[in-house]
């Protein structure tokens, strides 16, 4: 994959997105407002407009017990699970398999009244990163999704408005070994999930509609996805 035309962009975007995701909310600059909270999950957004369109950056942090970062990224990256957890997905195809860790997706999301239907075309890359804080600790895992152009699928030539997105899912696993030295179980496992996204809706949509969609859909999305991973992994050996 290192010779693919997208490789330089993938390298750059992954590095910058991972660095941003690692920063705490306080270090990410001013203006972040907590807009949703549910147990361990906290969701922040910053109100930003580009050419009059809402492009609010979003950052969610969540801690989920009983799953590993590799498992979270595995179920997020692999297309065969997506219809199970992505409730707003209408259609998804893999346009290109650049390598086993890099795919190009074309997906349409269900229309949300009164806006027109949206579609996204993006590369998706999964990567394991060394744990800088604790060399012997579990690795960090990440999936980065970033919009890209495809000559065979020009934007806005059909009924759907093409959105532009950058998404980073960064997962840090914590193992709390059992005191009595018995074998590790999922009870000794937890995963800190950071989900960052910037979505440009493409065509104009009322700011009030967009912010209402995000406020309703993002908490649902992260809760549904993490519950799905817990359910899929509960009776399986841990994937580190
Ligand atoms: C008027 C509505 C405009 C917004 C439509 C929209 C844009 C983007 C996206 C979206 C959300 C998550 C990703 S991902 O994390 O990369 C995973 C792969 O699917 C990619 C795209 C969705 C949706 C539509 C609804 C919506 C909005 C948030 C959360 C969930 N659904």
């Amino acid at each position: 994959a290192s010779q693919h035309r997208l490789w330089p962009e993938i390298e750059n975007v992954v590095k910058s997105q991972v660095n941003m995701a690692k920063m705490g909310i306080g270090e990410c600059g001013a203006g972040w407002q907590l807009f949703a909270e549910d147990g361990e999950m906290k969701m922040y957004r910053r109100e930003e407009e580009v050419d009059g369109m809402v492009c609010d950056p979003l950052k969610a942090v969540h801690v989920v017990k009983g799953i590993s970062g590799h498992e979270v990224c595995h179920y997020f990256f692999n297309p065969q699970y997506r219809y199970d957890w992505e409730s707003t997905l209408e259609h998804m195809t893999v346009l290109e398999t650049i390598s086993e860790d890099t795919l190009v997706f074309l997906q349409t999301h269900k229309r949300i009244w009164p806006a027109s239907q949206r579609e996204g075309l993006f590369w998706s890359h999964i990567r394991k990163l060394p744990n800088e804080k604790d060399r012997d600790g579990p690795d960090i895992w990440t999936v980065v999704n970033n919009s890209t152009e495809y000559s065979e699928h020009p934007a806005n030539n059909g009924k759907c408005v093409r959105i532009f997105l950058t998404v980073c899912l960064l997962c840090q696993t914590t193992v709390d070994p059992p005191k009595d030295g018995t074998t590790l179980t999922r009870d000794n496992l937890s995963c800190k999930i950071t989900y960052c996204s910037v979505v440009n809706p493409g065509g104009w949509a009322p700011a009030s509609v967009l912010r209402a969609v995000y406020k309703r859909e993002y908490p649902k999305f992260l809760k549904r996805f993490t519950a799905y991973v817990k359910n899929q992994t509960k009776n399986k050996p841990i994937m580190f």
Side-chain angles (χ1 to χ4, degrees), residues 41-192:
M41 184 180 74
K42 292 179 173 57
M43 281 202 160
Y44 304 84
R45 73 163 175 221
R46 226 183 24 227
E47 299 206 353
E48 279 183 19
E49 304 204 353
V50 173
D51 305 331
M53 282 189 298
V54 164
C55 291
D56 299 354
L58 178 131
K59 184 166 184 140
V61 284
H62 196 4
V63 178
V64 183
K65 290 197 179 319
I67 52 179
S68 71
H70 187 183
E71 290 167 338
V72 173
C73 289
H74 172 78
Y75 287 99
F76 186 77
F77 173 75
N78 283 286
Q80 66 262 37
Y81 310 112
R82 195 155 299 177
Y83 285 112
D84 298 344
W85 55 265
E86 173 81 284
S87 56
T88 65
L89 195 61
E90 182 173 273
H91 191 248
M92 168 200 66
T93 46
V94 175
L95 296 182
E96 188 180 354
T97 300
I98 295 177
S99 60
E100 61 173 8
D101 60 9
T102 310
L103 305 173
V104 180
F105 288 96
L106 174 62
Q107 47 183 60
T108 57
H109 289 264
K110 291 172 185 146
R111 180 168 181 257
I112 296 173
W113 186 87
S116 40
Q117 187 169 29
R118 257 66 184 179
E119 70 173 16
L121 196 163
F122 54 91
W123 52 256
S124 184
H125 178 73
I126 185 169
R127 184 177 298 187
K128 177 171 70 172
L129 302 157
N131 181 337
E132 281 142 11
K133 275 188 275 183
D134 168 8
R135 291 218 175 289
D136 310 331
D139 297 309
I140 296 175
W141 280 85
T142 188
V143 175
V144 177
N145 295 344
N146 190 56
S147 290
T148 188
E149 305 286 332
Y150 248 60
S151 48
E152 302 85 340
H153 297 273
N156 306 320
N157 74 327
K159 58 182 168 39
C160 287
V161 173
R162 178 71 60 85
I163 60 169
F164 298 92
L165 64 85
T166 302
V167 166
C168 177
L169 180 74
L170 186 79
C171 299
Q172 171 76 56
T173 308
T174 304
V175 175
D176 183 25
K179 306 286 172 284
D180 53 4
T182 51
T183 46
L184 208 65
T185 70
R186 289 189 176 276
D187 295 340
N188 312 119
L189 205 53
S190 82
C191 182
K192 181 185 173 192

